[in-house]
Amino acid sequence: MHYIVLDLEWNQPMSYNSPAYKSVGGKLLFEMIQIGAVKVDEKFNIIDSFSQLIRPEHYIKLHPRIMRITHITQDDLADAPGFCEAVSAFADWCGEDYVMLTWGCDDISVLNQNMTFFKCETPLAKIYDIQRLFGEMIGNSKERKGLKAAMEHFEIEPDEDKPFHNAVHDAYYTALVFSRLPEPRKVLDYPLTPKKLQHLDRGKRECTAILRVRSIKDGLSSSAAMTPPCPVCGKRMEVAEGYVRQRDEMYMALGDCPQHGLAFVKLQFGKNDEGKRIMTRSASLSDEQSKAYVNTKHLQWQQKLAAQQETENQ
Ligand SMILES: [Zn+2]
């Protein structure tokens, strides 16, 4: 028996108002554009690799964010096979006696949704989660660590000629982590089930918290204001420029989540029923996430902040 370590890249809709998203988005949130994998033998040596680009049929235009992180270009995909053909080539490469492994549940959720959407019936083996086994090993199964953190743990240096976010490179690094685990075979204790993928509706893209503060100044410099949580994943974000006063007791800043992108953070100061000063913090993910938009937003913020400081100094 051998192990197949799988990693995928996918495209996302240009916008949630695009005709493509409106027509298929309910059933296809992301469209796969690359299958990458490496084959690992029973002694945990990497013995082969597989990389296949896929021509998207619905989200045809590559999202700038995806182009930026994967370095895949529109031209690269033009002559690539369609989804089912790519999966069938992958299954042939996998061979007979194998189990499939991946890092976390994102990839198989996307794979599962694409398989269903494209009515692709190529059978693939059951998939197990290396991320959970790693979490168990470091004694923290709750917190889902990133692949890079696991590489750092084992002091695995990334190769210069294998940049991240290329499916076959990420699969290679995942396999290296897998082979360094004290008991790699235990990965079979962690079968994966795909999650249902859905675009987060408004409610889930916003989070609000009410906090007691002594003064507006204290509130603005508190960690609740300076490192607000991403409204989607809850990870602490940086507010690069800081807060700009919008109205008397209302301030806004831009937050950046490495995974979810630009969010708007709003602080509204006021008093609660007992007359104590409170700060209501709400963070919401921006609908627009193109690189140009995000850059412009940050520039605007720098200018607003500079103007604000000037008035304050007068
Ligand atoms: Zn996030």
Side-chain angles (χ1 to χ4, degrees):
M1 187 194 76
H2 55 267
Y3 301 92
I4 303 288
V5 181
L6 173 73
D7 191 87
L8 309 173
E9 300 301 332
W10 52 79
N11 194 19
Q12 67 186 72
M14 267 311 163
S15 105
Y16 297 110
N17 291 316
S18 65
Y21 179 76
K22 282 185 175 156
S23 101
V24 298
K27 289 178 180 152
L28 187 72
L29 184 53
F30 304 117
E31 189 167 15
M32 277 170 51
I33 53 171
Q34 189 189 15
I35 301 175
V38 297
K39 208 174 267 184
V40 175
D41 69 12
E42 279 182 48
K43 290 181 177 138
F44 310 107
N45 301 307
I46 296 173
I47 50 171
D48 198 6
S49 69
F50 176 90
S51 174
Q52 177 68 66
L53 292 175
I54 303 167
R55 181 172 33 80
E57 274 178 34
H58 295 276
Y59 305 133
I60 295 168
K61 201 159 180 299
L62 272 175
H63 192 284
R65 191 184 84 91
I66 302 296
M67 254 195 288
R68 189 170 75 240
I69 64 173
T70 64
H71 303 290
I72 295 173
T73 67
Q74 206 70 54
D75 276 355
D76 293 336
L77 300 179
D79 298 323
F83 179 78
C84 291
E85 200 184 327
V87 172
S88 151
F90 173 58
D92 288 345
W93 175 82
C94 286
E96 292 290 312
D97 186 20
Y98 71 97
V99 290
M100 193 113 79
L101 312 177
T102 183
W103 187 266
C105 64
D106 292 345
D107 291 63
I108 74 149
S109 303
V110 174
L111 176 65
N112 184 60
Q113 195 185 47
N114 278 253
M115 295 282 282
T116 309
F117 180 86
F118 289 106
K119 300 190 174 67
C120 178
E121 282 168 3
T122 308
L124 292 174
K126 201 158 169 43
I127 307 186
Y128 299 87
D129 189 1
I130 302 171
Q131 189 189 38
R132 289 243 349 249
L133 179 59
F134 175 75
E136 211 62 51
M137 186 208 84
I138 59 166
N140 187 350
S141 55
K142 285 273 152 58
E143 194 194 342
R144 289 194 157 267
K145 288 273 183 197
L147 177 59
K148 281 186 194 167
M151 288 173 64
E152 274 165 28
H153 179 91
F154 291 118
E155 294 174 350
I156 300 168
E157 290 286 330
D159 282 1
E160 231 167 77
D161 57 348
K162 288 192 178 68
F164 288 102
H165 294 298
N166 171 306
V168 69
H169 300 163
D170 287 4
Y172 167 79
Y173 292 130
T174 309
L176 289 184
V177 167
F178 173 61
S179 67
R180 299 286 187 90
L181 289 162
E183 291 179 274
R185 284 185 187 85
K186 276 202 167 169
V187 75
L188 301 182
D189 292 344
Y190 303 101
L192 272 165
T193 31
K195 277 190 307 189
K196 193 169 173 346
L197 294 173
Q198 262 174 337
H199 175 52
L200 297 162
D201 57 34
R202 268 259 147 246
K204 290 186 189 131
R205 295 158 62 83
E206 277 177 9
C207 81
T208 305
I210 299 173
L211 305 133
R212 277 283 314 278
V213 288
R214 268 182 302 204
S215 63
I216 292 185
K217 194 163 166 272
D218 275 5
L220 284 170
S221 59
S222 65
S223 63
M226 294 315 290
T227 52
C230 163
V232 182
C233 68
K235 276 211 193 90
R236 294 286 168 173
M237 302 184 292
E238 299 290 323
V239 290
E241 297 87 7
Y243 284 87
V244 172
R245 192 173 68 240
Q246 307 287 103
R247 288 195 302 271
D248 233 8
E249 300 201 309
M250 204 270 260
Y251 293 77
M252 270 184 75
L254 307 176
D256 292 285
C257 171
Q259 202 183 344
H260 298 103
L262 182 72
F264 298 104
V265 187
K266 193 172 99 180
L267 303 178
Q268 176 75 60
F269 292 89
K271 299 240 166 88
N272 68 7
D273 294 346
E274 293 157 14
K276 308 271 190 209
R277 189 173 279 288
I278 53 162
M279 173 174 91
T280 306
R281 179 194 65 204
S282 48
S284 60
L285 198 67
S286 169
D287 280 332
E288 175 62 56
Q289 293 287 357
S290 73
K291 194 181 179 184
Y293 176 83
V294 174
N295 284 348
T296 310
K297 253 343 206 192
H298 277 292
L299 278 175
Q300 270 179 8
W301 230 252
Q302 286 158 17
Q303 285 162 0
K304 281 185 187 178
L305 214 77
Q308 180 173 302
Q309 272 155 2
E310 214 163 283
T311 5
E312 278 167 6
N313 291 340
Q314 272 169 7

